[in-house]
Amino acid sequence: MLTSNKEKVVWLSLVSIALLVSAIDPVADRLTWFMETVPVMIAIPTLLITHRQFPLTIISVRAISLFAFILIVGGYYTYAENPLFEWIQQTFDLARNHYDRLGHFIQGVVPALLSREILLRTSPLQRGKWLFFIVCSISLAISACYEFVEWAAAVINAQAAEAFLGTQGDNWDTQWDMFLALNGSLFAQWFFARIQDRQLGVLLH
């Protein structure tokens, strides 16, 4: 069985390999690939730099890695043309490819776990209703800021941003994205808070 640190190295290695492979010949155009995967390019060195002074729990690392894979696959195919979710769309006669919905749900899970961990370790906040509320608010704020980035991309270059936004003709796509991020935050706290607390207990003692 892998130790926590070894597992973190494995996840980091897998994400790095996946990013490099996706860059070779993406189905999407190169600009879309870059815009979708740039958060992964920022996350990898950030985690490497901060690991010694502020190591994360393994559940946070797993969540970050999952989100990284989702971003990488989205960058490779675009969110509107993910093959698995295209098959689901055709099989169940859905109106759209829902891969981006999954991405925005996880976009709520990851900030929730990270902000919860950081607040518990660096602030006077204790476990309870206020922590729960603040973590949800942070996740929503991050989701809203990402929508600002998408909006800015559309303003700068509407044609290039079409694949990046992945709205697929949905006028309520922005609202759906933030709603799913909120649900991801709720899900993370309801189902993973106790696991994270146990791992924090081991990590900090």
Side-chain angles (χ1 to χ4, degrees), residues 110-129:
V110 173
L113 290 173
L114 283 177
S115 60
R116 186 177 186 277
E117 181 165 338
I118 292 170
L119 288 171
L120 283 173
R121 293 171 65 174
T122 64
S123 79
L125 278 170
Q126 301 295 316
R127 295 162 182 83
K129 295 178 181 179

Side-chain angles (χ1 to χ4, degrees), residues 20-177:
L20 291 173
V21 170
S22 73
I24 295 173
D25 187 24
V27 175
D29 62 87
R30 186 69 62 179
L31 178 59
T32 299
W33 173 85
F34 176 79
M35 289 192 296
E36 297 290 5
T37 59
V38 70
V40 183
M41 300 178 198
I42 295 171
I44 291 173
T46 299
L47 290 173
L48 286 172
I49 292 169
T50 61
H51 172 68
R52 288 189 180 276
Q53 292 185 333
F54 201 91
L56 296 173
T57 57
I58 192 62
I59 193 168
S60 292
V61 172
R62 289 170 182 168
I64 293 169
S65 301
L66 173 61
F67 191 32
F69 285 126
I70 290 172
L71 291 172
I72 290 168
V73 172
Y76 184 79
Y77 288 108
T78 79
Y79 282 85
E81 299 178 12
N82 178 273
L84 173 60
F85 281 74
E86 187 174 316
W87 174 82
I88 294 173
Q89 178 185 2
Q90 294 173 357
T91 301
F92 296 98
D93 194 27
L94 302 176
R96 57 175 289 148
N97 188 311
H98 284 289
Y99 185 69
D100 69 317
R101 304 294 199 217
L102 172 64
H104 284 283
F105 179 83
I106 302 300
Q107 190 188 54
V109 171
V110 173
L113 290 173
L114 283 177
S115 60
R116 186 177 186 277
E117 181 165 338
I118 292 170
L119 288 171
L120 283 173
R121 293 171 65 174
T122 64
S123 79
L125 278 170
Q126 301 295 316
R127 295 162 182 83
K129 295 178 181 179
W130 274 111
L131 178 64
F132 192 95
F133 172 75
I134 291 171
V135 167
C136 286
S137 299
I138 291 172
S139 296
L140 268 176
I142 291 173
S143 177
C145 287
Y146 194 80
E147 297 303 319
F148 291 158
V149 172
E150 291 187 343
W151 170 56
V155 170
I156 294 169
N157 190 328
Q159 185 176 356
E162 184 176 348
F164 177 55
L165 268 66
T167 58
Q168 301 180 65
D170 185 356
N171 293 330
W172 302 103
D173 185 71
T174 298
Q175 288 81 0
W176 266 110
D177 292 348

